[in-house]
Amino acid sequence: MPAPLLDVQGLETQFKTQEGVVHAVNGVSFTLKEGETLGVVGESGCGKSVTMLSVLRLVAMPPGKIVAGKAFFHGQDLLAMSSEEIRQVRGAQIAMVFQDPMTSLNPVLTIGKQLEEPLALHLGMDKKHAMERSIELLDMVGIPNGKDRLNDYPHQFSGGMRQRVMIAMALSCNPQILIADEPTTALDVTIQAQIMDLVERLRDELGMSIIWITHDLGVVAELAQRVLVMYGGFIIEEAPVKEVFAHPTHPYTLGLLGSLPRLDNKTNERLFSIEGFPPVLYQTPSACPFAPRCKFAVDHCWKENPLLVEVSPEHRVACWVDTQTGRER
């Protein structure tokens, strides 16, 4: 079996606030294979984005701090690299597309200037070749008249076009991994579909691996081969996408799927709502973080936080209760 392209082990990230230390990511471990699309799902504040920002060392320090863990990429630990070494990886080998393109693009620089900068920095291109490559990239992501648009500023593009520019910037140096942090959230449904089709096509053409962060399970079903479900800074379920939809095992995953409208629902059942609120993690939970909202909770859930255990091939879950039978494991 080939070694994973990215291997994250025991990642922990904390933020110091006036109210106390927030334990945002708590011992997260996962792998990413070559050519794979990995979906990361969960509600806002569950640690999805912070996990990936930590891997790329983009967490602001202070207030944030990566307190433990390793992230191996081609045998090198990203978390142990010097600032200069990680700068050579970011953008060139691992690229990230952020949620809001308006705040990610510099409003006072032209699109051409922002596209050409990483090409000069990472690939050493001169002005002429960087401009030619920028026009190619705009054409690749479906922005017409690329040559004429290089001198335009971000405010002259629509939301969907700005996101295409962000994807072009991320792909400029042919990265091996693309991390997409909810890139379609601020866009309307039609543009969302276009961006997803674009990423899927580019993935197949360029052979890169993708980590797609989202709270939308419909997007995961469309794009990903494998999915991580996060809650309270922990991975609570990990499985191939088809397995998660066919046999969801964690009560939180069941709740997420139950909250989705279904076209095959002929019984007119009401959508499921998960009662309660997400945890505020001023301390690392000693019990299951989902226990206060869980209808399957037993005494054991309040005493010890479960580890991820395999329930079927490639399917792991962190839960003391078998949700199929209601019995404790």
Side-chain angles (χ1 to χ4, degrees):
M1 182 183 248
L5 185 59
L6 179 66
D7 184 3
V8 177
Q9 303 173 3
L11 180 64
E12 294 183 29
T13 302
Q14 300 173 0
F15 291 88
K16 186 177 283 188
T17 69
Q18 290 183 334
E19 290 77 22
V21 176
V22 176
H23 297 72
V25 179
N26 300 298
V28 164
S29 300
F30 66 92
T31 60
L32 178 71
K33 303 170 189 171
E34 284 195 35
E36 178 183 39
T37 301
L38 177 68
V40 185
V41 300
E43 60 198 61
S44 297
C46 72
K48 309 183 299 293
S49 298
V50 175
T51 295
M52 301 310 159
L53 290 171
S54 299
V55 168
L56 282 178
R57 305 255 297 278
L58 288 171
V59 172
M61 300 188 211
K65 186 179 181 182
I66 301 168
V67 298
K70 297 180 179 180
F72 291 104
F73 176 66
H74 288 308
Q76 291 185 293
D77 184 3
L78 299 173
L79 304 184
M81 287 182 174
S82 68
S83 297
E84 182 57 35
E85 287 172 333
I86 193 67
R87 261 198 296 269
Q88 296 303 316
V89 172
R90 281 197 301 253
Q93 298 174 67
I94 305 176
M96 192 161 184
V97 178
F98 297 94
Q99 184 170 345
D100 185 355
M102 199 61 223
T103 57
S104 302
L105 292 167
N106 191 324
V108 299
L109 294 179
T110 64
I111 292 300
K113 176 72 174 172
Q114 296 183 65
L115 278 167
E116 290 163 16
E117 186 177 2
L119 295 169
L121 177 67
H122 293 297
L123 302 182
M125 286 188 181
D126 58 29
K127 176 77 175 173
K128 178 175 179 291
H129 288 97
M131 187 175 77
E132 289 172 355
R133 174 63 174 157
S134 297
I135 295 168
E136 281 178 25
L137 288 164
L138 292 180
D139 183 58
M140 183 191 296
V141 297
I143 295 179
N145 305 316
K147 187 176 181 180
D148 298 329
R149 305 230 58 182
L150 287 179
N151 292 321
D152 288 347
Y153 289 86
H155 72 270
Q156 294 173 274
F157 289 76
S158 67
M161 287 296 182
R162 284 196 293 266
Q163 197 58 279
R164 287 171 187 263
V165 171
M166 286 294 300
I167 292 170
M169 289 175 65
L171 298 178
S172 60
C173 299
N174 297 320
Q176 293 172 276
I177 300 174
L178 176 68
I179 301 174
D181 186 3
E182 303 201 43
T184 60
T185 299
L187 308 176
D188 64 55
V189 177
T190 306
I191 306 301
Q192 280 187 34
Q194 291 176 4
I195 296 295
M196 285 168 57
D197 289 344
L198 168 65
V199 171
E200 205 167 11
R201 175 174 63 80
L202 294 173
R203 176 196 66 192
D204 296 339
E205 287 178 5
L206 304 175
M208 63 186 173
S209 302
I210 295 174
I211 299 175
W212 191 284
I213 303 168
T214 183
H215 59 266
D216 188 339
L217 281 165
V219 171
V220 168
E222 175 83 16
L223 279 177
Q225 285 97 42
R226 195 159 53 92
V227 62
L228 306 177
V229 182
M230 290 191 68
Y231 185 83
F234 295 89
I235 294 174
I236 56 168
E237 189 157 6
E238 175 187 357
V241 167
K242 290 182 180 178
E243 177 73 9
V244 163
F245 279 85
H247 305 290
T249 303
H250 196 281
Y252 179 64
T253 312
L254 288 167
L256 287 179
L257 289 169
S259 66
L260 288 176
R262 297 175 61 108
L263 293 175
D264 60 353
N265 182 8
K266 298 176 182 176
T267 59
N268 295 320
E269 293 178 6
R270 291 179 65 87
L271 294 178
F272 182 77
S273 174
I274 302 174
E275 301 290 335
F277 300 95
V280 179
L281 300 172
Y282 289 125
Q283 293 182 337
T284 304
S286 56
C288 174
F290 190 62
R293 306 173 72 184
C294 182
K295 65 179 182 180
F296 294 94
V298 296
D299 287 346
H300 199 169
C301 303
W302 297 96
K303 297 174 182 175
E304 187 180 359
N305 194 357
L307 299 174
L308 278 170
V309 295
E310 193 165 82
V311 292
S312 63
E314 297 187 82
H315 189 170
R316 300 192 301 158
V317 68
C319 186
W320 293 120
V321 178
D322 182 339
T323 52
Q324 299 295 317
T325 64
R327 297 196 189 99
E328 191 172 342
R329 294 184 194 281

